[in-house]
PDB file of all heavy atoms in Angstrom:
ATOM      1  N   GLN A  20     -13.067  -5.835   1.373  1.00  0.00           N
ATOM      2  CA  GLN A  20     -12.981  -5.948  -0.086  1.00  0.00           C
ATOM      3  C   GLN A  20     -13.504  -7.312  -0.523  1.00  0.00           C
ATOM      4  O   GLN A  20     -13.188  -8.346   0.078  1.00  0.00           O
ATOM      5  CB  GLN A  20     -11.523  -5.775  -0.519  1.00  0.00           C
ATOM      6  CG  GLN A  20     -11.289  -5.797  -2.014  1.00  0.00           C
ATOM      7  CD  GLN A  20      -9.863  -5.417  -2.384  1.00  0.00           C
ATOM      8  OE1 GLN A  20      -9.100  -4.904  -1.565  1.00  0.00           O
ATOM      9  NE2 GLN A  20      -9.493  -5.660  -3.629  1.00  0.00           N
ATOM     10  N   HIS A  21     -14.267  -7.299  -1.616  1.00  0.00           N
ATOM     11  CA  HIS A  21     -14.830  -8.536  -2.158  1.00  0.00           C
ATOM     12  C   HIS A  21     -14.882  -8.465  -3.684  1.00  0.00           C
ATOM     13  O   HIS A  21     -15.085  -7.389  -4.244  1.00  0.00           O
ATOM     14  CB  HIS A  21     -16.250  -8.752  -1.632  1.00  0.00           C
ATOM     15  CG  HIS A  21     -16.326  -8.842  -0.150  1.00  0.00           C
ATOM     16  ND1 HIS A  21     -16.041  -9.993   0.538  1.00  0.00           N
ATOM     17  CD2 HIS A  21     -16.635  -7.908   0.773  1.00  0.00           C
ATOM     18  CE1 HIS A  21     -16.181  -9.755   1.832  1.00  0.00           C
ATOM     19  NE2 HIS A  21     -16.536  -8.513   1.997  1.00  0.00           N
ATOM     20  N   PRO A  22     -14.706  -9.579  -4.378  1.00  0.00           N
ATOM     21  CA  PRO A  22     -14.377 -10.899  -3.839  1.00  0.00           C
ATOM     22  C   PRO A  22     -12.869 -11.036  -3.598  1.00  0.00           C
ATOM     23  O   PRO A  22     -12.106 -10.156  -3.998  1.00  0.00           O
ATOM     24  CB  PRO A  22     -14.826 -11.828  -4.964  1.00  0.00           C
ATOM     25  CG  PRO A  22     -14.566 -11.029  -6.207  1.00  0.00           C
ATOM     26  CD  PRO A  22     -14.847  -9.586  -5.834  1.00  0.00           C
ATOM     27  N   SER A  23     -12.462 -12.101  -2.997  1.00  0.00           N
ATOM     28  CA  SER A  23     -11.045 -12.334  -2.776  1.00  0.00           C
ATOM     29  C   SER A  23     -10.374 -12.848  -4.043  1.00  0.00           C
ATOM     30  O   SER A  23      -9.191 -12.606  -4.262  1.00  0.00           O
ATOM     31  CB  SER A  23     -10.828 -13.316  -1.624  1.00  0.00           C
ATOM     32  OG  SER A  23     -11.510 -14.537  -1.883  1.00  0.00           O
ATOM     33  N   THR A  24     -11.125 -13.578  -4.844  1.00  0.00           N
ATOM     34  CA  THR A  24     -10.624 -14.040  -6.136  1.00  0.00           C
ATOM     35  C   THR A  24     -11.711 -13.837  -7.184  1.00  0.00           C
ATOM     36  O   THR A  24     -12.906 -13.925  -6.876  1.00  0.00           O
ATOM     37  CB  THR A  24     -10.205 -15.520  -6.119  1.00  0.00           C
ATOM     38  OG1 THR A  24     -11.333 -16.303  -5.726  1.00  0.00           O
ATOM     39  CG2 THR A  24      -9.066 -15.755  -5.161  1.00  0.00           C
ATOM     40  N   LEU A  25     -11.267 -13.550  -8.402  1.00  0.00           N
ATOM     41  CA  LEU A  25     -12.207 -13.295  -9.488  1.00  0.00           C
ATOM     42  C   LEU A  25     -11.601 -13.802 -10.783  1.00  0.00           C
ATOM     43  O   LEU A  25     -10.510 -13.364 -11.169  1.00  0.00           O
ATOM     44  CB  LEU A  25     -12.496 -11.799  -9.571  1.00  0.00           C
ATOM     45  CG  LEU A  25     -13.456 -11.318 -10.666  1.00  0.00           C
ATOM     46  CD1 LEU A  25     -14.818 -11.971 -10.508  1.00  0.00           C
ATOM     47  CD2 LEU A  25     -13.590  -9.795 -10.619  1.00  0.00           C
ATOM     48  N   SER A  26     -12.298 -14.723 -11.419  1.00  0.00           N
ATOM     49  CA  SER A  26     -11.833 -15.274 -12.700  1.00  0.00           C
ATOM     50  C   SER A  26     -12.800 -14.872 -13.793  1.00  0.00           C
ATOM     51  O   SER A  26     -14.007 -15.098 -13.663  1.00  0.00           O
ATOM     52  CB  SER A  26     -11.731 -16.799 -12.614  1.00  0.00           C
ATOM     53  OG  SER A  26     -10.742 -17.191 -11.683  1.00  0.00           O
ATOM     54  N   VAL A  27     -12.280 -14.300 -14.859  1.00  0.00           N
ATOM     55  CA  VAL A  27     -13.119 -13.882 -15.988  1.00  0.00           C
ATOM     56  C   VAL A  27     -12.440 -14.288 -17.282  1.00  0.00           C
ATOM     57  O   VAL A  27     -11.236 -14.567 -17.316  1.00  0.00           O
ATOM     58  CB  VAL A  27     -13.363 -12.351 -15.979  1.00  0.00           C
ATOM     59  CG1 VAL A  27     -14.081 -11.921 -14.710  1.00  0.00           C
ATOM     60  CG2 VAL A  27     -12.057 -11.591 -16.156  1.00  0.00           C
ATOM     61  N   VAL A  34     -15.666  -6.556 -11.718  1.00  0.00           N
ATOM     62  CA  VAL A  34     -16.073  -5.562 -10.723  1.00  0.00           C
ATOM     63  C   VAL A  34     -15.576  -6.002  -9.349  1.00  0.00           C
ATOM     64  O   VAL A  34     -15.790  -7.140  -8.942  1.00  0.00           O
ATOM     65  CB  VAL A  34     -17.601  -5.388 -10.669  1.00  0.00           C
ATOM     66  CG1 VAL A  34     -17.970  -4.338  -9.612  1.00  0.00           C
ATOM     67  CG2 VAL A  34     -18.134  -4.985 -12.039  1.00  0.00           C
ATOM     68  N   ILE A  35     -14.921  -5.108  -8.660  1.00  0.00           N
ATOM     69  CA  ILE A  35     -14.417  -5.362  -7.308  1.00  0.00           C
ATOM     70  C   ILE A  35     -15.018  -4.304  -6.394  1.00  0.00           C
ATOM     71  O   ILE A  35     -15.022  -3.119  -6.728  1.00  0.00           O
ATOM     72  CB  ILE A  35     -12.885  -5.292  -7.263  1.00  0.00           C
ATOM     73  CG1 ILE A  35     -12.280  -6.289  -8.260  1.00  0.00           C
ATOM     74  CG2 ILE A  35     -12.381  -5.572  -5.854  1.00  0.00           C
ATOM     75  CD1 ILE A  35     -10.780  -6.137  -8.432  1.00  0.00           C
ATOM     76  N   ALA A 100      -3.728  -9.766 -11.885  1.00  0.00           N
ATOM     77  CA  ALA A 100      -2.894  -9.253 -10.798  1.00  0.00           C
ATOM     78  C   ALA A 100      -3.748  -9.249  -9.532  1.00  0.00           C
ATOM     79  O   ALA A 100      -4.901  -9.679  -9.549  1.00  0.00           O
ATOM     80  CB  ALA A 100      -2.399  -7.836 -11.105  1.00  0.00           C
ATOM     81  N   VAL A 101      -3.168  -8.751  -8.471  1.00  0.00           N
ATOM     82  CA  VAL A 101      -3.940  -8.539  -7.249  1.00  0.00           C
ATOM     83  C   VAL A 101      -4.275  -7.054  -7.161  1.00  0.00           C
ATOM     84  O   VAL A 101      -3.398  -6.203  -7.347  1.00  0.00           O
ATOM     85  CB  VAL A 101      -3.163  -8.983  -5.995  1.00  0.00           C
ATOM     86  CG1 VAL A 101      -3.984  -8.714  -4.742  1.00  0.00           C
ATOM     87  CG2 VAL A 101      -2.817 -10.466  -6.089  1.00  0.00           C
ATOM     88  N   THR A 120      -8.358  -6.202   1.702  1.00  0.00           N
ATOM     89  CA  THR A 120      -7.670  -7.493   1.757  1.00  0.00           C
ATOM     90  C   THR A 120      -7.176  -7.981   0.406  1.00  0.00           C
ATOM     91  O   THR A 120      -6.444  -8.956   0.342  1.00  0.00           O
ATOM     92  CB  THR A 120      -8.588  -8.545   2.368  1.00  0.00           C
ATOM     93  OG1 THR A 120      -9.869  -8.469   1.724  1.00  0.00           O
ATOM     94  CG2 THR A 120      -8.773  -8.314   3.860  1.00  0.00           C
ATOM     95  N   GLY A 121      -7.575  -7.328  -0.655  1.00  0.00           N
ATOM     96  CA  GLY A 121      -7.072  -7.672  -1.976  1.00  0.00           C
ATOM     97  C   GLY A 121      -7.987  -8.616  -2.741  1.00  0.00           C
ATOM     98  O   GLY A 121      -8.719  -9.422  -2.159  1.00  0.00           O
ATOM     99  N   THR A 122      -7.957  -8.467  -4.058  1.00  0.00           N
ATOM    100  CA  THR A 122      -8.696  -9.344  -4.962  1.00  0.00           C
ATOM    101  C   THR A 122      -7.742  -9.854  -6.028  1.00  0.00           C
ATOM    102  O   THR A 122      -7.104  -9.066  -6.733  1.00  0.00           O
ATOM    103  CB  THR A 122      -9.852  -8.587  -5.654  1.00  0.00           C
ATOM    104  OG1 THR A 122     -10.799  -8.168  -4.678  1.00  0.00           O
ATOM    105  CG2 THR A 122     -10.541  -9.478  -6.686  1.00  0.00           C
ATOM    106  N   ARG A 123      -7.648 -11.157  -6.114  1.00  0.00           N
ATOM    107  CA  ARG A 123      -6.793 -11.749  -7.143  1.00  0.00           C
ATOM    108  C   ARG A 123      -7.625 -11.926  -8.409  1.00  0.00           C
ATOM    109  O   ARG A 123      -8.557 -12.731  -8.433  1.00  0.00           O
ATOM    110  CB  ARG A 123      -6.236 -13.089  -6.664  1.00  0.00           C
ATOM    111  CG  ARG A 123      -5.222 -13.713  -7.612  1.00  0.00           C
ATOM    112  CD  ARG A 123      -4.578 -14.933  -6.967  1.00  0.00           C
ATOM    113  NE  ARG A 123      -3.895 -14.589  -5.730  1.00  0.00           N
ATOM    114  CZ  ARG A 123      -2.659 -14.118  -5.643  1.00  0.00           C
ATOM    115  NH1 ARG A 123      -1.952 -13.955  -6.751  1.00  0.00           N
ATOM    116  NH2 ARG A 123      -2.131 -13.848  -4.477  1.00  0.00           N
ATOM    117  N   LEU A 124      -7.303 -11.157  -9.430  1.00  0.00           N
ATOM    118  CA  LEU A 124      -8.020 -11.215 -10.708  1.00  0.00           C
ATOM    119  C   LEU A 124      -7.240 -12.060 -11.694  1.00  0.00           C
ATOM    120  O   LEU A 124      -6.053 -11.833 -11.922  1.00  0.00           O
ATOM    121  CB  LEU A 124      -8.221  -9.807 -11.273  1.00  0.00           C
ATOM    122  CG  LEU A 124      -8.851  -9.714 -12.674  1.00  0.00           C
ATOM    123  CD1 LEU A 124     -10.277 -10.252 -12.651  1.00  0.00           C
ATOM    124  CD2 LEU A 124      -8.837  -8.275 -13.185  1.00  0.00           C
ATOM    125  N   LEU A 125      -7.935 -13.028 -12.270  1.00  0.00           N
ATOM    126  CA  LEU A 125      -7.331 -13.873 -13.297  1.00  0.00           C
ATOM    127  C   LEU A 125      -8.148 -13.741 -14.575  1.00  0.00           C
ATOM    128  O   LEU A 125      -9.341 -14.037 -14.575  1.00  0.00           O
ATOM    129  CB  LEU A 125      -7.286 -15.329 -12.846  1.00  0.00           C
ATOM    130  CG  LEU A 125      -6.757 -16.328 -13.874  1.00  0.00           C
ATOM    131  CD1 LEU A 125      -5.313 -16.008 -14.239  1.00  0.00           C
ATOM    132  CD2 LEU A 125      -6.875 -17.754 -13.353  1.00  0.00           C
TER     133      LEU A 125
ATOM    134  N   LYS B  67       0.407 -13.568  -0.157  1.00  0.00           N
ATOM    135  CA  LYS B  67      -1.012 -13.618  -0.486  1.00  0.00           C
ATOM    136  C   LYS B  67      -1.878 -12.840   0.504  1.00  0.00           C
ATOM    137  O   LYS B  67      -3.067 -13.137   0.667  1.00  0.00           O
ATOM    138  CB  LYS B  67      -1.488 -15.075  -0.579  1.00  0.00           C
ATOM    139  CG  LYS B  67      -0.783 -15.867  -1.673  1.00  0.00           C
ATOM    140  CD  LYS B  67      -1.367 -17.258  -1.812  1.00  0.00           C
ATOM    141  CE  LYS B  67      -0.666 -18.017  -2.936  1.00  0.00           C
ATOM    142  NZ  LYS B  67      -1.237 -19.378  -3.130  1.00  0.00           N
TER     143      LYS B  67
END
Side-chain angles (χ1 to χ4, degrees):
Chain A
Q20 183 172 347
H21 301 279
S23 57
T24 58
L25 179 59
S26 295
V27 299
V34 180
I35 303 171
V101 179
T120 48
T122 296
R123 186 172 300 276
L124 175 64
L125 176 62
Chain B
K67 298 185 179 182

